[in-house]
Amino acid sequence: MTVSQDYRPPTGEYRSFSQYKAIEYSAYFGTEFEGVDLTQLTDQQIEDLKVILAERGVVFFRGQDNLVEEKHIELGGRLGEHHVHPSWKGPRGPIFVAETRQSWANHWHSDVSFDQETPVKYSILKMEQLPPAGGDTAWASAELAYYKLSPSLRAYLSTLTAEHDSALTFGANSSNPHTGNDFKEEFGKDKPRFPRAIHPVIRTHPITGRQAIFVNRGFTTRIVELTKSESETLLNFLYNLIDRGQEFSVRFRWSLNAVAIWDNTQTQHKAIGDFLPNDRKGFRVSTKSEKPFFDGERKAAYPALYETEGWQRVLDINPY
Ligand SMILES: O=C(O)CCC(=O)C(=O)O
Ligand SMILES: [Fe+2]
């Protein structure tokens, strides 16, 4: 897989989204657009959205009352080929119910990273039931996290691969919130075991050519080339890097029918489980990505925001 050669970063200028008011959630990551109706995007806006997602990681749109189930599915289909969650065999096609009374989304993760060929690329999550308080979702840039590391460690990490196993999150005690069935049974029905995959530890973004950490606490079990103890130590080091990265993470306070769209190539996210015992319910449509790959040769045509002097100064005051 080669990366796209015609990439031009929006660097704050949001192409066909420039007509909308943009609220930056942090300097380097996460943007909310006001006044967009996601059912009315032009083909140009769909293409630009992919580039904006490559650059900003996650984008938010409030008040998407028009994005009813069928439009939600249609929007997914415009961004890519639908990815159907392997545990999901229900009647709602590619809609995945992301209801988080359970603990399955409470660890940082990249969606369905345990899929060997086509993990999730874009996820479109719409929140349709809110708790009276709490229930935010957090996103972090696994790309900015990567660029906090020393060049030596980056180079070493790029030689490694890791195993991702759905059993880690969907194992013994997790039940599918929609069907109430045990995930283990659902995965087990026609599969010999929970799905798992081996992917490069550092993943290249096909649009920007930039690198990101592609191991996550939710699904990654081990680094293949290392001993158990080395693997645990290095994985924990990387998980803690993501955990402590307030300078490259954002937190979204949901409102009814708000929508978040994110690019799972270079971001991770987690539900913040502070709203129990109340309910919260969201629906997610996702698309398939390319098979994760590492390409160390590609240099981005234009510097990203984090390659600027500003990001260097952010690094100086946020060492890891
Ligand atoms: O419920 C949330 O806040 C996040 C759920 C989630 O991880 C997902 O929809 O992919
Ligand atoms: Fe998720």
Side-chain angles (χ1 to χ4, degrees), residues 104-105 109-112 123 219 262 264 269 284:
W104 63 266
H109 65 281
S110 173
D111 288 331
V112 201
S123 284
F219 298 124
W262 63 96
N264 285 281
H269 58 283
R284 189 182 94 201

Side-chain angles (χ1 to χ4, degrees), residues 98 100 104-105 109 111 123 125 127 135-137 254 262 269-272 280 284:
T100 53
W104 63 266
H109 65 281
D111 288 331
S123 284
L125 178 62
M127 205 52 75
D136 294 2
T137 305
W254 291 97
W262 63 96
H269 58 283
K270 62 178 278 184
I272 298 175
R280 190 184 69 142
R284 189 182 94 201

Side-chain angles (χ1 to χ4, degrees), residues 14 23-26 28-32 56-60 250:
Y14 289 112
I23 303 165
E24 312 292 11
Y25 274 45
S26 75
Y28 300 94
F29 188 66
T31 303
E32 176 178 333
R56 300 296 296 176
V58 57
V59 294
F60 307 108
V250 298

Side-chain angles (χ1 to χ4, degrees), residues 170-183:
F170 298 121
N173 298 318
S174 297
S175 67
N176 182 327
H178 196 71
T179 60
N181 293 343
D182 193 311
F183 271 117

Side-chain angles (χ1 to χ4, degrees), residues 47-75:
E47 287 316 302
D48 290 348
L49 183 56
K50 295 178 191 172
V51 177
I52 292 167
L53 282 163
E55 191 75 9
R56 300 296 296 176
V58 57
V59 294
F60 307 108
F61 306 91
R62 294 188 188 273
Q64 298 301 312
D65 303 33
N66 293 342
L67 197 76
V68 295
E69 183 170 311
E70 145 205 351
K71 296 285 179 188
H72 193 171
I73 293 172
E74 188 182 303
L75 179 61

